[in-house]
Amino acid sequence: MSVSPVRMADAIRVLSMDAVHAARSGHQGAPMGLADVATVLWTKFLRYDASKPDWADRDRFVLSAGHASMLIYSLLHLTGSKAVTMDQIRDFRQWGSNTAGHPEYGHTPGVEVTTGPLGQGIATAVGMAMAERSMNARYGDDLVDHRTWVIAGDGCLMEGISHEAISLAGRLKLGKLTVLFDDNNTTIDGAATIAETGDQMARFKAAGWAVKAVDGHDHGKIAAALRWATKQSVPTMIACKTAILKGAGPKEGDIHGHGYSLFDEEATLARKAMGWPLPPFELPEDIVEAWRKAGRKGGSPRRKWEARLKVSDQRADFVRAMKGDLPADAFKGLDTHIEKMLAEPVVNATRVHSGAALTVLTPAIPEMIGGSADLTGSNNTYVKGMVPFDLPDYAGRYVHYGVREHGMAAAMNGMALHGGVIPYSGAFMVFSDYSRASIRLGALMGVRVIHVMTHDSIGVGEDGPTHQPVEHLASLRAMPGLLVFRPADVVEAAECWRLALEARTTPSVMALSRQKTGVVRTTGGNLSAKGAYEVAKADGEAQVTIFASGSEVPIALAARTLLQADGVATRVVSTPCWELFEQQTPKYRAETIGKAPVRVAVEAAVKFGWERFIGEDGVFVGMTGFGASAPAERLYKEFGITAEAVAAAAKAKLG
């Protein structure tokens, strides 16, 4: 006798209710309300094999409403995940468990993306769907042909990032992307309508999606809607009308049921309403077996896919790309480029030097996919010959993201998470504020995404303080798990690109100048890999050490010349990546900082963080407030960021 799918859904409900109750924190409402939708999806449509949750051509499932984490933990446990045992369910939200308060990629096998900050999941899923189409264009249907499914709630769709993601997906007609909207009209403060009047279906439809509404508790209608979604050529949104806390008896549909609201008495009443006789964390064997069977159904398509991969003439390249390995000759052209630049130095903006590096890197690394937030010509992220990523075949490698910095950063996270793609894209550094939440999640997940942030200081010039970042370098450097590169010249720019591409579990920011900068490096060897290094020695025992990054390194070198002329022995240290410097040995760090009695730092940004180089009593030459509108040269003079000012500050400190 077959098990009722409603009873299978009830298993999700009781596990979610009991785990949250045991933890005394969490969210019972959404997992219970979504249990029917999730049951139909996971038992009838999702291509997933619990025995191998990371096989490359699986469907991706994204729980954008990450607070409903017990939904995915219940699904993983029920389908037979070895990582999410009943003990892990009991230890929900406890130290050392696989069942964290919000789903975390890399922490729990089967979780595709870290979610919790609302809206991030749906935007990341757009990137996953983009990567699927890109990989399909490279390797064909035999190796890449899967869907991306998203569950999103009212909060996800209120967040601004959802607008960026929805419109981008609609423009690109990502037909293998489906969003299941948990339409329960519930938020923490009460009914969603206290803050929302929009028609979500109309909004999606206006963005180019196909839309449908369905009773989120009618399994037959849910299945019909999902089947319809698989036949569309554009992204699909299914509004699933659900009752929060479904199955909770008198609490079902309570607009205050977002969080932890079923305590001892309420849980007992919920069990009675569902006709569930077993105590917490116990499941009927027939329901467990029905779920285990669902977890095994992906085994057959997986094995067929593995057979196709085994005989494919693209196997080696596909496996390499999905693993994250770079081609064997990835940096051959870059090395030649560096040798040429050392022999024939070029003076230009570091954004131009970055573009020159990309010119030799992108042909050598086919999985690199570039783009820009409507600033292609300014960011220098486009390489001649690149074709836009778009219909009809998605074979292009350049994405026109439009003015969507936040959505762009999240989509790049999704592309990297999918695998087989190394995304990079450009924006002005001042707008890293827009994309910061996505950059942070990328750092938390440890994904290789490269954010090209040009126009990195008051060197922006005439556009004025609205476009001149002063606090952004400090803010980004403060973020754990993020490499912030600020190269000084053409050689450092090339070296930093290599380091970013080699950092397979770390996102990177390239902070690049708008204005031209002088030549810094005259010797080879990837010195930028040390994070900071001596670029100019003192003539004699150093009395002053000047530290600088990016466009201010030439200023530091010019100040050294002035000081040396006055008999002050001065050395200069370039600091292209503070995070890499922190990874060096204590001995190397001490030697690089040196013992000069006076330490000076110069950077066209705020001081915060420079204490690690100059100490609490060191001299800082830089910004103390916002910039202004004027040509860059005038701004540097007016704000006192000049070689003369640096030399004078060092002398004053010497006494």
Side-chain angles (χ1 to χ4, degrees), residues 16 76 155 163 210 232 260 370 459 498 555:
S16 300
L76 291 172
H163 295 265
Q232 305 307 305
Y260 173 33
R498 176 169 187 156
I555 292 175

Side-chain angles (χ1 to χ4, degrees), residues 345-478:
V346 172
V347 173
N348 218 322
T350 55
R351 63 184 172 124
V352 175
H353 295 325
S354 169
L358 287 171
T359 298
V360 295
L361 285 168
T362 53
I365 307 174
E367 54 267 38
M368 288 181 70
I369 295 183
S372 172
D374 198 44
L375 291 167
T376 295
S378 297
N379 298 147
N380 296 84
T381 46
Y382 173 79
V383 173
K384 186 176 181 180
M386 274 187 164
V387 175
F389 173 83
D390 204 350
L391 294 165
D393 58 7
Y394 302 100
R397 295 172 57 197
Y398 194 83
V399 183
H400 291 287
Y401 286 99
V403 187
R404 301 184 181 101
E405 292 90 353
H406 197 181
M408 175 178 75
M412 288 199 293
N413 285 343
M415 294 165 80
L417 287 165
H418 177 280
V421 170
I422 301 175
Y424 73 91
S425 202
F428 286 168
M429 173 162 273
V430 75
F431 300 133
S432 64
D433 283 342
Y434 285 156
S435 53
R436 183 179 179 84
S438 298
I439 296 173
R440 184 178 188 272
L441 273 188
L444 179 59
M445 293 186 287
V447 292
R448 178 167 48 189
V449 171
I450 303 172
H451 304 271
V452 180
M453 299 290 181
T454 67
H455 297 57
D456 69 349
S457 73
I458 59 169
V460 167
E462 293 86 346
D463 277 349
T466 59
H467 285 54
Q468 294 167 0
V470 292
E471 76 277 25
H472 296 71
L473 279 169
S475 174
L476 290 165
R477 285 167 175 160

